[in-house]
Amino acid sequence: MTGQSTGELLAIGPLAAPHPRNTQVGSGIKLGPLRKDLADDNVSAPADQVPALREIVAKAAKDGHDVHFVVLTERQPVFTNYRDIATALQKDTSGTVIVIGPNAVGSASNEFSRVTLEQATDNLKFADQTQAARQMYDKMTEPSINWTVATLVLIVVVVVGAVAARLLGRRTDVSGPEEGVTEEGVTEDAATEQPVTEEAVSGSGGSGWVLPN
């Protein structure tokens, strides 16, 4: 829910004080109230958006994810500011922090990769920040191809295929040609047979073929 207490201010630009919890953003953001709200129900947002965001948090918890949502009503001049705020808060909350503003979104997580988080922001519409939060979570958790596993499987298939082909080739070489067959495909016995000769024979007025003895 939304808090009104004071807290340290995220500093502006190069004038930032060297406080370990400071993150440079475009406009001052008090981290204290945000931390207090997140500690209560994982949500820091205008009152009319809190119930819907709590539903997403509850769904995430059932899925085994610890997700926190922060909705800012003030537009940040630099879109990376939202990620900076999320990073500062995530150090305390752990899990995943998603900060949504009127013009952009930022996130930090020790559950989801940076690639997954960035891909989940594609085509988000910020006119309805609650809907943007739901869409982002759904994209973060949708099934995806594990390219590392797919690559390993492909390598194994190629290696097994190569080994099988090599073994088959060796087996063919060892067995050699069939017994009694020359490389030209003619049997040895047939190769040594004498050729048939044609002779004229006389007799009872006939002629014929005579095989040599």
Side-chain angles (χ1 to χ4, degrees), residues 1 73 91 100 105 198:
M1 61 181 64
T73 57
K91 292 178 181 179
I100 304 174
V105 60
E198 180 181 359

Side-chain angles (χ1 to χ4, degrees), residues 11-24:
I12 302 175
L15 300 179
H19 190 283
R21 291 187 176 181
N22 265 339
T23 302
Q24 296 182 7

